[in-house]
Amino acid sequence: MRCHIARSLLPVSPVNPDSLAPLFAPLTSLRGIGPAVAALIARAAGGDRVIDLLFHLPESYLDRTARPTIRAANPGTVATLAVEVVRHERPATSRQPWRIIVRDDTGVAELVFFRFTRETQTPPGTKLLVSGKLDMFNNRLTMPHPDHLVPIEQAERIPAIEPVWPLTAGLWPRQVASGLAAALELVPEFPEWHDPALLKREKWPPFNEALRTVQCPTAGEPDRRMRARLAYDELLAGQVATALIRGRVRARAGQPLIGDSSLRDVALKRFGFPPTASQEKALREIDADLASPRRMLRLLQGDVGSGKTLVALLAMLRAVEAGKQAALMAPTEVLAKQHHRTLSALCPVPVALLTGSVKGKERARLLRGIKDGTIQMVCGTHALFQDAVEYRELAVAVIDEQHRFGVTQRLTLGAKGERTDVLIMTATPIPRTLLLTQWGEMDVSRLTEKPAGRLPIRTTLHSLGTMPTVLEGIARKLDEGAQVYWVCPLVAESEALDVAAATERFVDLKLRFGDRVGLAHGQQTAELRDAALAAFARGEIRLLVATTVVEVGVDVPEASIMVIEHAERFGLAQLHQLRGRVGRGADASFCLLLHEDWVNETARRRLTLLRDTDDGFMIADEDFRLRGGGDALGTRQAGLPGYKLADAVEHEPLLHMANRDAAVLLSRDPKLEMERGQAIRVLLRLFERTPAMRTLAAG
Ligand code: ADP
Ligand code: MG
């Protein structure tokens, strides 16, 4: 089934908000789509509304225009053959396929059916057009389950080009196609929201035409420009939306915070080390924000161990120097307590601790102190920003470890933070592209160096074939007293298999190195695992075979060697984190990346990059480029989170364009009132960025 839509069917009246409503209606509102098919489409498209189907783009296209003869046809390709039925070979048992032997002037081929359909009822002599993937079986050209099988006189029923949508079990391409045909009819004629000069330069068609061409191509595979146009629409909507939200947060006047450094000097003296150059730079950037009357919204990025806490403390002390309050929010109670200890040791004024488990009188006392301002510094969990907590004047809020995106709404800190300067600390080296899509133009400070005294980690690559040599090296190091992590990969499909592989490695290594070898993995009981980790920490175990459990929270400064088996199966960011487990002590450290002998070019480039740099930011940016976005977020899925039409890698340049475009647009028309602004409002609605529009109404 094709999606023919006459242009004249489309409404041409300017868009009013109601004309978008059908796009957000359930799939079942589409002609010919019942609840069962709707449910399947919803599963494939990730949403059960018409718009979800419209934005469910093909991952590739099948070109059915190739019409070779049987002799010239190539197994492994998709082709359309004009043939005549010779005879049927019925299966003797139900496990055998049904074969239709067909011929043309050049040879003989077989259509093979494992499931029998009425298509098998074609008498000998019938002339057919069949289209599908060709195969070679027993020296004969075969076409298992043709995608199309039509009488030759109905050739037009086979499309020249056919989109291949991501499907789900039970869903057929023709169901998607017919749903789309109905859905596309509902798309109104939109006003153009892009700058005409841009459209001309990029040779982009209108939105409707691009969408129709991508979803229902009629002549050949759609040009890349079609998809680029759609991606740009989506990216621009995202950039305008983040710019609007950020603008609102910013527009609330902050307060200029100036301090005399009296408290800072005391803290630094107690700390005993000079700040690193990165810390100094970050602090200068933060101080400039604090001193300005605009509100601060800054992300402080730095690897684990780069010294974010000191920067946070000094920023908070500026608030106290200015006679106001500062708060630090950690994601868990444990981390809140840890911060509380660190800050208390350095801070010249008392630091309060407020978490969910602080109750009764103590809690009442804290709330009173926060309200009357006698508590100037407070550390805690999200309890800090609950309704019952009233600050006298919260000037600086630090939020630690925000890996999660979409926190823009939290930046307001509820009603506490109208004027509060906000610093967000994260150890996730978020690639620039993701920063832009998720945060808009949030200011960023990066701690790019570790505090002095750390030795660099020497990273080397070894193919698994050279295992004997690697083991000799490890044996030598163990004899010299080194402690070794040996990490085996987890490959999501089956944890049990991965654990088996790790266990097998453990048995191997134990045979060779004896009782010095221990094992820790995710399927052990917590006691067993913790016992292994503790024995490693005490130095009783010298070589710890582990799955990625070591990634989190194991700190053994004496360990100086990290071996990672099948390094090619890990994300680069993850490898970098793992590598960070060594190099914490006084000894020179090594990271050995063992990889499959046959790794492909991309994998080799990724591992080489990791070998050659220790810069977590560069690694994240590059990995993003090489693999797409998901890995950087640890979700292992490609693409930009929250985006359906734009591809992280292919459309990255468009993202930067959209970012500038949004800035220029909003500087000229901050309330989106002019002609293009009005069209942009429709764009925001189409891409469901309407929360951002509330800021327009409010402001
Ligand atoms: P992060 O929070 O970025 O993971 P921390 O703030 O916990 O890192 O700092 C890691 C370690 O480095 C801590 O022990 C801290 O005292 C130390 N440190 C931080 N800054 C410096 C510095 N300028 N000189 C020496 N040590 C530092
Ligand atoms: Mg920290």
Side-chain angles (χ1 to χ4, degrees), residues 292-365:
S292 99
R294 281 194 333 170
R295 201 174 157 196
M296 172 168 81
L297 252 193
R298 183 171 287 278
L299 193 65
L300 177 64
Q301 282 188 297
D303 268 3
V304 173
S306 59
K308 295 185 289 295
T309 320
L310 180 69
V311 176
L313 170 66
L314 298 177
M316 292 167 80
L317 284 177
R318 175 111 313 166
V320 181
E321 284 170 2
K324 304 190 162 92
Q325 293 169 297
L328 187 159
M329 179 175 87
T332 65
E333 179 136 2
V334 173
L335 280 169
K337 284 185 177 151
Q338 191 180 311
H339 276 308
H340 180 249
R341 272 196 303 276
T342 313
L343 298 194
S344 297
L346 301 173
C347 192
V349 301
V351 184
L353 176 66
L354 179 64
T355 66
S357 63
V358 178
K359 298 229 157 67
K361 275 195 187 145
E362 171 64 2
R363 183 176 158 84
R365 188 183 67 79

